[in-house]
Amino acid sequence: MKCLILAGGFGTRLQPLIKDKPKPLLMVNKKPVITHLVDKIPEGMEIMVCTNKRFEADFIKWQSSLNRSVALCVEDALAEEEKLGAIGAVEFWVRKRNIQESLLIIAGDNCFEFSLQDFINTYDGENPLVAVRDVGDKEKAKQHGVIKLRRNRILEFCEKPAQPQSSIIAIACYILPATVLEYLPRYCSQKQDNLGDFIAYLVNKREIHAFVFSGAWFDIGSTDSYLEAQKDVGGEKQG
C-alpha cells in the first residue's frame, strides 16, 4: 500500500487569513496540519504529497524538516483554474507513478484524532474503505458527503445535499484497492470533481465499507474551522 496526500489547493476559502500560504502548512499545535498526518502514517509506507507549482518551494522547505522520506508530486498549476481537481490529480499521479496497489488517499487539510493504523487494519484488501463520522447535526452535514449506512457498508453517498437524510458524513480519508483505481481514467474523461463525487460514483458499482470513528476531527477549509482546530487540538495519540 502507498499513500497519497492531496495538498494541491490554493486555500481560497481561507483568504485573506493565510495570504500566500498553502492550507496544509498552517500551524496547529506547533506543527503544520500535514505533519500531523505524516506522523500518523505507518513507518515503511511510501508517502507522496501532491501540491502545485505555486507552492512547490514551500513544500520543499517543509519536506526538509521531516524525519522520514516524502516524495513531492507537483502539478504544473499556478492558479485555481489550472488545477486538475482532486480526483483528477489522483488519476494523474496513479498513471504517472504507475501505481498498481492499494492506495491510501488523505486530504491534506484534514486534522483527526483516530489512528491511521486502526483504519488500515480495518481494510479487507478488496473493498474501498471510507472514514465516516456522525457530526450530530444535519445542518453541519450539508457541507460534506452524507452517507447512509447498514452496519459497516455504505449504501448511499450524496455530496453536499441541500436536505441531508442523516448527520453521518464521510471525510477525505479513503483506501482504494488497485481494482478501483482502474475506474479512474474513464471517470475523469467525463468529469474531474472532488473526491466525494467519485465515491458516490462507486457506490452503485462496488461494495464500499465504512470505518466509523469518533473523537476530534477538523476540516481546515474555513477560517472558523482553522481557529477551532488551533484551540482544541492538543497532543494527539500517534500511530
Side-chain angles (χ1 to χ4, degrees):
M1 184 183 296
K2 296 182 180 181
C3 178
L4 179 63
I5 300 177
L6 298 176
F10 290 94
T12 52
R13 288 188 294 157
L14 276 168
Q15 300 294 348
L17 176 67
I18 62 174
K19 295 183 179 178
D20 200 34
K21 187 174 184 177
K23 281 192 299 181
L25 296 184
L26 290 173
M27 301 297 287
V28 170
N29 191 28
K30 301 181 180 180
K31 61 184 178 182
V33 172
I34 194 171
T35 303
H36 287 274
L37 295 176
V38 169
D39 288 347
K40 286 177 170 291
I41 296 168
E43 291 292 335
M45 184 179 293
E46 182 181 338
I47 303 173
M48 299 164 286
V49 173
C50 173
T51 184
N52 57 65
K53 201 70 177 173
R54 179 175 164 188
F55 292 135
E56 181 180 12
D58 298 275
F59 277 95
I60 289 174
K61 183 178 178 180
W62 165 76
Q63 183 186 37
S64 67
S65 73
L66 300 174
N67 58 10
R68 67 183 293 182
S69 177
V70 169
L72 293 183
C73 302
V74 183
E75 284 184 41
D76 190 20
L78 293 170
E80 189 77 28
E81 60 273 13
E82 298 173 350
K83 284 173 52 181
L84 292 171
I87 197 63
V90 172
E91 189 277 333
F92 179 81
W93 292 111
V94 165
R95 178 164 39 88
K96 187 84 170 176
R97 297 270 175 159
N98 193 30
I99 297 172
Q100 300 181 30
E101 58 197 279
S102 297
L103 186 63
L104 169 63
I105 302 171
I106 313 173
D109 55 2
N110 262 319
C111 192
F112 51 76
E113 187 179 44
F114 68 84
S115 164
L116 268 180
Q117 187 62 67
D118 289 346
F119 179 67
I120 292 165
N121 289 346
T122 305
Y123 176 56
D124 65 4
E126 297 181 5
N127 298 293
L129 182 65
V130 179
V132 308
R133 185 179 189 273
D134 190 342
V135 294
D137 184 336
K138 289 184 180 180
E139 193 62 29
K140 288 182 180 179
K142 286 182 179 181
Q143 303 304 314
H144 306 281
V146 177
I147 67 170
K148 179 180 179 181
L149 277 180
R150 178 182 294 162
R151 295 183 181 176
N152 73 326
R153 183 173 178 180
I154 296 176
L155 301 181
E156 296 178 8
F157 187 109
C158 186
E159 184 68 16
K160 297 182 179 179
Q163 296 183 324
Q165 298 303 302
S166 80
S167 56
I168 302 174
I169 68 164
I171 74 166
C173 181
Y174 315 131
I175 299 178
L176 301 182
T179 52
V180 162
L181 299 180
E182 295 172 0
Y183 288 103
L184 285 168
R186 178 179 296 180
Y187 178 82
C188 289
S189 69
Q190 301 172 26
K191 60 169 93 175
Q192 294 184 11
D193 298 313
N194 57 44
L195 293 170
D197 287 321
F198 182 61
I199 301 301
Y201 167 81
L202 289 176
V203 165
N204 295 321
K205 297 182 178 296
R206 297 288 297 258
E207 183 171 321
I208 302 180
H209 293 173
F211 172 84
V212 182
F213 72 95
S214 57
W217 166 71
F218 303 94
D219 172 13
I220 313 297
S222 67
T223 301
D224 287 346
S225 61
Y226 173 52
L227 295 176
E228 186 180 359
Q230 281 188 310
K231 179 179 68 175
D232 291 350
V233 174
E236 294 182 299
K237 295 178 288 184
Q238 304 303 319

